Amino acid sequence: MGNGAVLEFRLEGLSCADCAVKLERQIASLPGVQETKLNFTAAKLTVYGDMSADAVISEARRDGVKAIPAGEYKEQTGANFWTKNRWATTSAIAGLLLALGWCLDYVLETETAARTLYLACIAAGGFAVGRKALLSLSRFRLDMNVLMGVAVTGAILIGELILHKFKGSAPEPGADPLPFLIWGQFNVLSRTI
């Protein structure tokens, strides 16, 4: 490729603007790249310089993003809604698992089966975020995906702590106020769901 060549790509798998900025910086640091322009809302990347398309595609893949050269990109015109919008599909599956778990927990009172469905809900809905979090950690970066993983893990651990420590009964009012406040919030939330 000659000096000043322009490569254009369509991107799939960008989850947030912060991820887009980090990807743009990573690609800009590749040897031979003079300038990069990434349009997050249009999912388009333009790279100026003397580099191969394979290097850009490989770098994007390391961040969990699929970079498709603009000339090879084909809009999914014949595909149905669920195929085009994989996020909607995983969200629908996670929502169904959550609803089934809630029914098992509060209607049929089968706690073990309900917890299993709750964990399946978290796995289905959070798989893409968890995958990107692991990719970010492998590059020693903290981003939104890592923080969401920490938040979900913390919420699970706090929920388990409350359930095992109090087993449905309120703590003594004169005891440490933090567990009392957490139990109260958990109790209010569980009744409003």
Side-chain angles (χ1 to χ4, degrees):
M1 243 177 238
N3 196 13
V6 178
L7 295 175
E8 292 185 353
F9 299 89
R10 293 296 304 259
L11 304 173
E12 293 179 353
L14 279 175
S15 55
C16 67
D18 183 52
C19 300
V21 169
K22 288 179 182 174
L23 177 63
E24 186 175 19
R25 283 189 202 137
Q26 286 295 121
I27 299 215
S29 70
L30 291 173
V33 174
Q34 296 170 350
E35 182 182 4
T36 59
K37 291 182 180 176
L38 195 151
N39 183 334
F40 172 64
T41 55
K44 291 183 181 180
L45 171 68
T46 306
V47 183
Y48 302 92
D50 186 22
M51 78 319 249
S52 71
D54 290 337
V56 175
I57 292 168
S58 176
E59 189 64 31
R61 188 178 307 122
R62 286 184 62 200
D63 269 358
V65 176
K66 186 175 181 181
I68 305 165
E72 298 173 18
Y73 182 78
K74 294 183 180 107
E75 192 74 38
Q76 294 180 344
T77 54
N80 66 19
F81 174 82
W82 299 107
T83 304
K84 279 193 221 178
N85 301 293
R86 294 189 196 282
W87 289 97
T89 304
T90 57
S91 295
I93 291 168
L96 179 64
L97 290 168
L98 178 64
L100 289 172
W102 185 87
C103 287
L104 287 175
D105 199 3
Y106 291 100
V107 176
L108 300 176
E109 296 181 5
T110 54
E111 187 176 321
T112 305
R115 283 187 180 179
T116 303
L117 285 177
Y118 290 149
L119 287 175
C121 168
I122 292 168
F127 177 77
V129 173
R131 184 173 162 268
K132 285 191 175 196
L134 291 175
L135 286 170
S136 292
L137 286 175
S138 72
R139 298 181 96 173
F140 301 105
R141 290 191 323 213
L142 290 176
D143 64 4
M144 175 202 70
N145 298 305
V146 174
L147 295 175
M148 289 301 295
V150 170
V152 168
T153 304
I156 291 170
L157 293 175
I158 289 171
E160 288 300 309
L161 171 75
I162 290 169
L163 287 175
H164 288 292
K165 183 159 178 127
F166 303 117
K167 294 190 175 56
S169 62
E172 294 295 321
D176 183 15
L178 183 60
F180 183 74
L181 290 172
I182 292 173
W183 182 87
Q185 290 300 317
F186 178 75
N187 197 21
V188 168
L189 285 174
S190 67
R191 291 177 186 202
T192 59
I193 293 179

